[in-house]
Amino acid sequence: MQRRNFLAAIPLLMTLDLKDFGMDQLPISSNGYNWITFFRRDGKIWGEDLAKDMALYSKSGLHAYEPSIENATMLEKLIPEMKKNGIAMPSMYANSVLHDQSEVEKSIQNIMEIAEVAAPFGCKIFVTNPSPIDWNNPVNKSDAELRLQAESMNRLGKLLRQKGITLAYHTHDMELRAGAREIHHVLQNTDPKNVSFCFDTHWVYRGSDNSELAVFDILKMYGDRVIELHLRQSSNGIWDETFSARGDIDYSKFAQQLKNKKIKPHLVIEQCLEAKSPASMGVVEAHQKDLEAVKIIFDR
């Protein structure tokens, strides 16, 4: 009931369409994590003042944003600020726990509550990274846990389809351990109608011991499942400050292979910073450069 009251209070959201922003395809987005890392470098906290943050975001030239959301209440606070600044939300990101029987139902319920708020605002893709057993230590899921995870993702994707949203499976580096058994099991044992693939190219690169070959092999194997890309570049294994075609991953070649396969995924910039990343510009300038590069490389 609380969710319906929120939507009724902001009737413009009920009719939001990407065409409101002069766009017929999903606009290039940025994930919120980039901005978290830039703000952290400057001793600030992204998301502490949503009004100021979304106004700043709009200065980058980006017209769409992929936020990382923990619950529906968090999204309810964010959407009005995005609306004020003409920022669409074609996709969003949330973690989930889908391998643990005691957590699965609660996690699916939370995602569906978020989706109830997200769908009327034009969200088309719900990206989730099923959480590992341990974020900091290399603990692999058992076969039984991976079976449950794939089954749960399939069910979740079916539920989201009923709201007009596509579930996209995202990975970090840990899913590439042990012969990449986790990523392969999920994509081999879910229905493509229910579960698409958010291909985070650099996490595949890093999870495969910094292998560009692995990135292109995953594209060969699962290109037909790719609905979204998370884009990040590095040099000598260290995340760059801005996205570019040349670096550890040849994105010109990657973009050409997508074109050859007639794959046109939603593009999401995720050019994050880490300890040894360069520090030569502010967050707005960096994202302006990111956006320009992505448009050229992917012919958007």
Side-chain angles (χ1 to χ4, degrees):
M1 185 64 66
Q2 180 183 1
R3 308 301 169 217
R4 292 192 182 92
N5 288 343
F6 163 75
L7 293 171
I10 310 178
L12 284 175
L13 300 185
M14 299 298 291
T15 57
L16 181 67
D17 189 275
L18 291 175
K19 291 181 180 178
D20 295 340
F21 297 87
M23 302 165 187
D24 293 320
Q25 64 181 14
L26 296 183
I28 297 168
S29 298
S30 167
N31 187 277
Y33 188 63
N34 329 4
W35 295 74
I36 290 172
T37 64
F38 272 86
F39 267 49
R40 184 187 298 148
R41 182 185 68 180
D42 297 335
K44 298 183 290 186
I45 300 174
W46 176 255
E48 195 168 52
D49 188 328
L50 292 176
K52 288 184 178 179
D53 291 349
M54 287 297 100
L56 183 68
Y57 186 93
S58 67
K59 294 180 181 179
S60 69
L62 288 156
H63 297 287
Y65 178 53
E66 181 179 272
S68 297
I69 297 297
E70 296 177 5
N71 52 58
T73 300
M74 184 176 177
L75 186 57
E76 288 171 349
K77 293 177 181 178
L78 175 62
I79 285 177
E81 301 305 329
M82 293 177 67
K83 181 70 175 178
K84 286 177 190 175
N85 289 281
I87 301 169
M89 191 183 72
S91 64
M92 58 164 298
Y93 177 99
N95 288 317
S96 55
V97 179
L98 300 176
H99 68 278
D100 184 340
Q101 190 68 66
S102 67
E103 296 288 335
V104 168
E105 297 307 323
K106 181 170 65 175
S107 198
I108 289 178
Q109 180 180 349
N110 183 54
I111 287 176
M112 295 310 297
E113 287 177 356
I114 296 171
E116 185 177 347
V117 177
F121 191 56
C123 181
K124 300 299 181 186
I125 303 170
F126 197 117
V127 180
T128 191
N129 195 119
S131 295
I133 293 175
D134 190 320
W135 283 99
N136 300 309
N137 296 294
V139 182
N140 295 330
K141 294 167 185 171
S142 68
D143 283 0
E145 288 170 327
L146 287 181
R147 287 192 195 97
L148 175 60
Q149 180 170 288
E151 292 167 1
S152 301
M153 289 197 74
N154 210 51
R155 180 157 59 93
L156 175 59
K158 195 171 184 178
L159 290 170
L160 287 171
R161 280 176 58 204
Q162 295 172 8
K163 292 186 175 293
I165 297 175
T166 298
L167 178 64
Y169 171 52
H170 177 277
T171 70
H172 290 102
D173 54 348
M174 60 275 294
E175 290 86 357
L176 279 295
R177 289 197 301 258
R181 59 192 279 272
E182 183 163 346
I183 186 173
H184 290 313
H185 184 77
V186 168
L187 291 175
Q188 292 288 336
N189 293 276
T190 51
D191 188 336
K193 291 184 298 184
N194 297 329
V195 181
S196 293
F197 185 29
C198 174
F199 189 0
D200 191 310
T201 50
H202 202 277
W203 278 124
V204 169
Y205 172 82
R206 183 165 284 185
S208 301
D209 198 21
N210 290 358
S211 172
E212 185 189 46
L213 287 177
V215 174
F216 285 92
D217 286 344
I218 289 290
L219 179 61
K220 288 179 184 177
M221 285 185 279
Y222 300 117
D224 60 340
R225 299 283 289 271
V226 174
I227 193 173
E228 177 172 319
L229 294 176
H230 277 189
L231 300 168
R232 186 182 309 140
Q233 184 63 281
S234 64
S235 297
N236 299 317
I238 304 300
W239 295 345
D240 293 333
E241 193 171 21
T242 58
F243 185 76
S244 61
R246 301 294 179 179
D248 290 331
I249 299 172
D250 185 341
Y251 278 104
S252 294
K253 178 181 175 183
F254 189 87
Q256 185 60 52
Q257 291 199 11
L258 287 175
K259 188 174 182 180
N260 294 344
K261 294 174 179 290
K262 295 181 171 55
I263 300 169
K264 199 169 186 179
H266 177 39
L267 302 177
V268 178
I269 299 164
E270 199 178 44
Q271 192 63 45
C272 307
L273 303 179
E274 53 189 348
K276 295 182 180 180
S277 297
S280 65
M281 66 189 77
V283 64
V284 171
E285 182 184 358
H287 281 80
Q288 288 171 340
K289 291 182 181 295
D290 292 341
L291 180 58
E292 181 181 4
V294 170
K295 285 181 176 178
I296 292 171
I297 296 165
F298 292 92
D299 193 22
R300 298 289 180 95

